[in-house]
Amino acid sequence: MPRSAPGFWQHRGAAAWSLLPLSLLFGFLAGARRRLFALGLKKAERLPVPVVVVGNIAVGGSGKTPIALWLAAELRARGRRPGIVSRGYGGTVEGVAEVPVGGDPSRYGDEPVLMAAASGCPVFVGRDRPVAGRALLAAHPDVDVLIADDGLQHYRLARDVEIVVVDEATLGNRLRLPAGPLREGVGRLAEATVILAHGGLSADLADAVKPVPVFDFHLAGGAFERVGNRAEHCLPADLKGRRVHAMAGIGRPERFFAQLEAMGLTIERRPFADHHAFTAADVAVPDGDVLLMTEKDAVKCAPFAPADSWVWPVRAQLAPGAAELIVEKIDGSPTA
């Protein structure tokens, strides 16, 4: 689950029910704010290029960043020139800043630094998404479509396409904050342009979101890459017989661990909270042991990771037709 998520978010027990009044208040205030934008009483800013929001309705790791990277790659392959705006969670930027390749995750946030390195697109961070979008377009006037990472609830930025990423395990007890993990109710999914389901949807949720198109996806990777030299590779078979530690500071560390175990590796699990600020002590392993980590963690740990540390880059693999539908929606989008 997400950043230090309480265990009661998985069930509708006494703790969840005790927080239900606050949950109802949260839902009312969030809904009222959204209605103000829907009615035009608060104005959403429309930028001069199409905007695609990639977001979710629950706190924590559903796969938004891999989907943003997948979408950027699909758009580039079709001759488009995308840019990415992100809040920069965990960073210290005041105002707006462009994220350089190899930038400091403590300043820009771990996910923006990862996207800047992996997307080939300009990436800007800022709490105010319209301001960040304008700054990106001013600095890169060739950009012709914006991807707003984790921007579903940022209604000040007008959007042309809404991609909602769902990992059903993160929906927990399906109650709103703080009684559960939801930022918005499950009914919000039925208003999306398209839903991308990490691992698929259960029958009841699939029925609830109709007629919104749903495409399944999963995360897949190839060889491990040495953290200190990403050009150096190894395979799971190369690690057989060695003591392997696996570390993950992501929304759902257990998914990463399960993927490694499915490769036939026996691992010692080291779960951390999402966006954990790693130290050298966190990544220390005995001499002769191996450390495996996620790509998001590697951008933070590279300066002090042990020599025998390896990252497993993963990318989103989607069912056919998803990219074509999204591009079709973008091409039909109005611009200012």
Side-chain angles (χ1 to χ4, degrees):
M1 282 293 286
R3 310 166 192 126
S4 303
F8 67 79
W9 277 4
Q10 290 298 307
H11 311 284
R12 295 193 176 190
W17 289 124
S18 70
L19 292 169
L20 189 59
L22 290 176
S23 180
L24 294 173
L25 177 61
F26 177 87
F28 172 79
L29 294 175
R33 177 176 173 274
R34 185 165 181 242
R35 284 192 292 275
L36 290 175
F37 284 100
L39 295 171
L41 299 176
K42 278 195 170 185
K43 186 167 180 57
E45 182 170 345
R46 181 166 294 282
L47 298 178
V49 301
V51 171
V52 183
V53 164
V54 178
N56 65 1
I57 63 168
V59 177
S62 57
K64 296 184 303 296
T65 298
I67 288 299
L69 291 173
W70 166 82
L71 179 59
E74 291 289 341
L75 291 172
R76 283 165 55 88
R78 289 164 170 78
R80 304 299 292 261
R81 297 178 297 280
I84 300 173
V85 293
S86 176
R87 177 188 172 190
Y89 184 89
T92 58
V93 168
E94 296 292 335
V96 173
E98 182 167 9
V99 183
V101 174
D104 182 355
S106 67
R107 170 165 170 74
Y108 301 103
D110 47 18
E111 289 163 347
V113 170
L114 169 58
M115 290 188 289
S119 69
C121 304
V123 178
F124 273 58
V125 295
R127 289 179 178 270
D128 190 319
R129 302 300 204 292
V131 172
R134 289 200 306 271
L136 188 154
L137 293 173
H140 300 274
D142 59 323
V143 166
D144 59 9
V145 57
L146 277 180
I147 300 169
D149 175 57
D150 199 15
L152 188 64
Q153 288 80 32
H154 198 94
Y155 290 111
R156 285 192 56 246
L157 178 61
R159 67 284 311 266
D160 303 288
V161 177
E162 283 189 339
I163 300 173
V164 182
V165 185
V166 178
D167 182 335
E168 196 161 350
T170 68
L171 303 184
N173 60 19
R174 300 194 184 185
L175 296 176
R176 299 191 192 213
L177 294 165
L182 299 191
R183 299 166 171 171
E184 297 185 276
V186 170
R188 176 69 173 84
L189 297 175
E191 302 173 26
T193 307
V194 62
I195 294 170
L196 302 184
H198 195 173
L201 297 183
S202 62
D204 69 306
L205 190 56
D207 285 340
V209 303
K210 289 179 178 177
V212 178
V214 178
F215 295 89
D216 296 348
F217 77 94
H218 66 279
L219 301 179
F224 299 110
E225 300 174 1
R226 190 182 293 276
V227 172
N229 177 13
R230 296 290 293 270
E232 187 176 346
H233 298 162
C234 78
L235 298 172
D238 300 321
L239 305 180
K240 294 291 179 63
R242 302 189 61 185
R243 189 177 180 190
V244 178
H245 305 259
M247 177 186 88
I250 57 178
R252 292 192 63 203
E254 66 277 7
R255 185 186 290 275
F256 175 63
F257 300 144
Q259 288 171 315
L260 297 178
E261 289 168 342
M263 300 175 191
L265 295 174
T266 300
I267 61 173
E268 294 194 14
R269 298 183 174 202
R270 294 188 183 187
F272 291 87
D274 198 9
H275 301 286
H276 179 73
F278 288 97
T279 66
D282 293 327
V283 302
V285 298
D287 289 344
D289 289 5
V290 178
L291 179 63
L292 304 180
M293 65 183 72
T294 72
E295 198 169 21
K296 187 169 89 167
D297 297 328
V299 300
K300 292 180 285 189
C301 298
F304 47 79
D308 213 353
S309 299
W310 301 81
V311 57
W312 190 47
V314 296
R315 293 294 179 263
Q317 307 292 318
L318 274 90
E324 289 74 15
L325 174 63
I326 293 166
V327 170
E328 177 184 320
K329 297 293 185 182
I330 292 172
D331 287 342
S333 299
T335 55

